[in-house]
Amino acid sequence: MSNVTLLFANYGSPGSKNHGVLFITLLLYVSTVLSNVTILLVIYFDSSLHKPMYIFLFNLAINGLIGSTAVCPKIMANLLKDNNYISIEGCLIQVLFINVYACCAYAIFAGMAYDRYVSICKPLQYHSIMTPLRVRVLITVVYLLPTSLLSFQVYLTSRLPLCGHNINKLFCDNLAVVNLSCVRDAIGNLYGLCITFILVVIPLFLVILSYIKILSVSLKASKNAQKKALQTCAPHLITFINFSLAILFSVIYNRISYFLPQEVNILMSLDFILIPPLLHPLIYGLKTNDIRTSLYKIFRRRAVVNSETDTFNQNRCKIFFL
């Protein structure tokens, strides 16, 4: 399929409507990058946050940047152009990064749920179970397994002969490319079901199982222990539910996008790509005491440095005039 060019058919001609959408997309994308980079820097420079839970959060922020960057710059560029073409190679690369973003997020959520399960249900064994080596192994599996399985899916898609060239969406996804094929891809469909089970259903099951265990233990604990467990798990639960709803909307969008107005198409596309990566660091920043404390220390240290600099400059001025 070399030298094949595809056309995004859902973009209108450049105008005030597109410029408005461009402004909103740019604002959301910049906010997403800033919020995730802030979380990354806070965790990286604060040694007290070098714990399994925050290592998973660190990788969730990286994953959010991967997902939003794989799509948003291309969407913004297309909103400014009349001819919204993309090479088949570029389209398949975008498919891979979007799928890796979605599946790695579920794997990270499963790892975070397991960490919370061990922390609450087996507190005395926590440090012997969640060792640095085990955390590194889990993080490796989180990236390596989805990337390997999804790369082979993209390879299968790349071998399909294409009879169409118009993608009725704002960005590439595997289903959109498969729908352009001249043949029915039974092997690809079966493989897609298998990796959906492995990369989505199993992590979803593990998260639910972990919280069933946490709930059963918490109900037998004291009120103070229940409150502490809720504070510990609330950010993870909120982000997990938020991401799952975004995935659900994306699945619905894939089925009905052909019948939707352009404005609704754009909003539903941006919801899946931008909203979860933007909200996740904000939720953890607001709901997690350790993150809030670290941010407060950074701002207070910065304020002290600025105050000392101002005092030093004032003293220099006094000495100069004397």
Side-chain angles (χ1 to χ4, degrees), residues 48-57 108-127 129-130 135 138 206-218 225 227-240 284 287-290:
S48 67
L49 299 178
H50 295 177
K51 303 173 183 176
M53 185 63 180
Y54 298 110
I55 293 173
F56 284 118
L57 178 57
I108 293 169
F109 283 129
M112 296 170 88
Y114 177 69
D115 175 79
R116 293 302 84 198
Y117 160 73
V118 176
S119 175
I120 294 172
C121 300
K122 300 182 178 182
L124 299 179
Q125 301 170 266
Y126 180 79
H127 293 291
I129 295 175
M130 299 301 292
V135 172
L138 288 173
L206 292 176
V207 171
I208 294 172
L209 181 63
S210 296
Y211 277 102
I212 290 174
K213 294 283 188 180
I214 290 171
L215 182 62
S216 65
V217 170
S218 299
K227 183 179 179 181
K228 186 176 179 181
L230 179 62
Q231 289 176 340
T232 302
C233 296
H236 177 259
L237 267 176
I238 294 171
T239 53
F240 175 72
Y284 272 96
K287 289 288 186 179
T288 308
N289 288 330
D290 291 342

Side-chain angles (χ1 to χ4, degrees), residues 129-172:
I129 295 175
M130 299 301 292
T131 61
L133 176 60
R134 180 162 293 177
V135 172
R136 284 196 292 270
V137 170
L138 288 173
I139 293 298
T140 302
V141 172
V142 159
Y143 287 110
L144 190 58
L145 181 62
T147 302
S148 301
L149 294 177
L150 293 168
S151 295
F152 187 69
Q153 183 190 40
V154 170
Y155 168 73
L156 291 177
T157 302
S158 71
R159 293 171 58 86
L160 296 175
L162 300 184
C163 288
H165 297 88
N166 287 0
I167 296 180
N168 295 309
K169 296 183 179 179
L170 300 182
F171 53 85
C172 294

Side-chain angles (χ1 to χ4, degrees), residues 35 38 42 47 65 78 98 113 145 172 182 234 255 259 268 272:
S35 59
T38 299
V42 168
S47 58
L65 290 174
N78 287 343
I98 292 171
L145 181 62
C172 294
C182 308
R255 297 295 180 269
F259 310 104
M268 292 192 73
F272 166 60

Side-chain angles (χ1 to χ4, degrees), residues 233-268:
C233 296
H236 177 259
L237 267 176
I238 294 171
T239 53
F240 175 72
I241 292 171
N242 170 61
F243 186 78
S244 297
L245 288 175
I247 290 291
L248 177 61
F249 278 121
S250 177
V251 172
I252 296 172
Y253 163 72
N254 276 335
R255 297 295 180 269
I256 65 174
S257 61
Y258 301 98
F259 310 104
L260 295 176
Q262 180 192 13
E263 295 81 0
V264 178
N265 249 319
I266 292 172
L267 290 175
M268 292 192 73

Side-chain angles (χ1 to χ4, degrees), residues 16-80:
S16 59
K17 184 190 296 184
N18 280 18
H19 292 159
V21 175
L22 173 65
F23 174 75
I24 295 172
T25 305
L26 179 62
L27 181 63
L28 290 174
Y29 179 59
V30 170
S31 301
T32 298
V33 172
L34 289 177
S35 59
N36 281 281
V37 169
T38 299
I39 289 291
L40 290 174
L41 293 176
V42 168
I43 295 174
Y44 182 81
F45 286 110
D46 191 340
S47 58
S48 67
L49 299 178
H50 295 177
K51 303 173 183 176
M53 185 63 180
Y54 298 110
I55 293 173
F56 284 118
L57 178 57
F58 185 91
N59 284 275
L60 187 64
I62 292 175
N63 189 61
L65 290 174
I66 290 172
S68 56
T69 303
V71 171
C72 291
K74 182 62 178 174
I75 287 181
M76 289 186 286
N78 287 343
L79 288 168
L80 294 173

